[in-house]
Amino acid sequence: MSSDAYDGDPNTFFELEFGETVEFYFSPALFQSPGSVIEVTNGGDAGRIEWDEYVRVEVGIQGDEGSFITVDPDPISNATGTVAFTFEGIFNTLRFTDVTLDFAVGSVSTDDRPAGFDIAEITVISAVPLPAGVLLLGTALGGLGLARRRRKAA
């Protein structure tokens, strides 16, 4: 199962300002690697001015600051639009921190606002697909029932 954080339209997006951080919490789902993010100002796409933008992506468990780790690649740039990233473990929160000013020279906004990485779409993979979870629950309940029947017979 994929979780899409936005509306499927790459023309609508969440714009991070230079240095800003945003977290996306997937509740109650847990997710695992790989993931991907689409950045909309890549390569002068759709008549936009081309400029470099960079973001650091971390995954972790909401409320447990020590659980956050940085994904690979680090940082992610807007050079290609859709960027796949990988990480080890199972998490429920994605954290994006704009690091454009640390890596790009001369990045500017067209409207004089500090503009950084623009997140159009986010995709992650569910850690436990629902059909597998239902199958595990059914198997466990069946096993308990069988064990109970054997105890009564003994």
Side-chain angles (χ1 to χ4, degrees):
M1 172 184 121
S2 294
S3 297
D4 185 358
Y6 287 98
D7 60 5
D9 180 359
N11 293 312
T12 58
F13 57 91
F14 182 89
E15 181 180 26
L16 286 170
E17 293 187 8
F18 291 143
E20 185 177 30
T21 297
V22 64
E23 288 186 0
F24 297 97
Y25 172 61
F26 294 81
S27 171
L30 295 173
F31 59 84
Q32 62 189 8
S33 188
S36 67
V37 61
I38 298 176
E39 206 285 349
V40 296
T41 55
N42 59 83
D45 182 49
R48 294 181 179 93
I49 299 170
E50 181 177 350
W51 57 82
D52 294 336
E53 295 172 344
Y54 296 88
V55 69
R56 173 159 293 124
V57 179
E58 298 170 287
V59 292
I61 300 296
Q62 185 181 48
D64 182 3
E65 191 60 35
S67 70
F68 281 85
I69 61 170
T70 305
V71 305
D72 183 42
D74 177 44
I76 291 175
S77 104
N78 66 335
T80 59
T82 301
V83 178
F85 55 84
T86 60
F87 52 91
E88 295 291 326
I90 298 175
F91 303 98
N92 67 7
T93 304
L94 281 165
R95 177 185 294 161
F96 291 80
T97 302
D98 179 82
V99 291
T100 299
L101 295 179
D102 296 338
F103 293 94
V105 177
S107 287
V108 296
S109 170
T110 55
D111 58 4
D112 296 325
R113 290 187 312 122
F117 201 85
D118 304 318
I119 303 166
E121 302 289 332
I122 304 168
T123 303
V124 292
I125 305 301
S126 176
V128 180
L130 186 56
V134 171
L135 179 63
L136 286 172
L137 178 62
T139 303
L141 291 175
L144 288 172
L146 183 60
R148 185 175 182 196
R149 180 178 281 177
R150 285 188 178 175
R151 277 193 194 173
K152 284 184 177 181

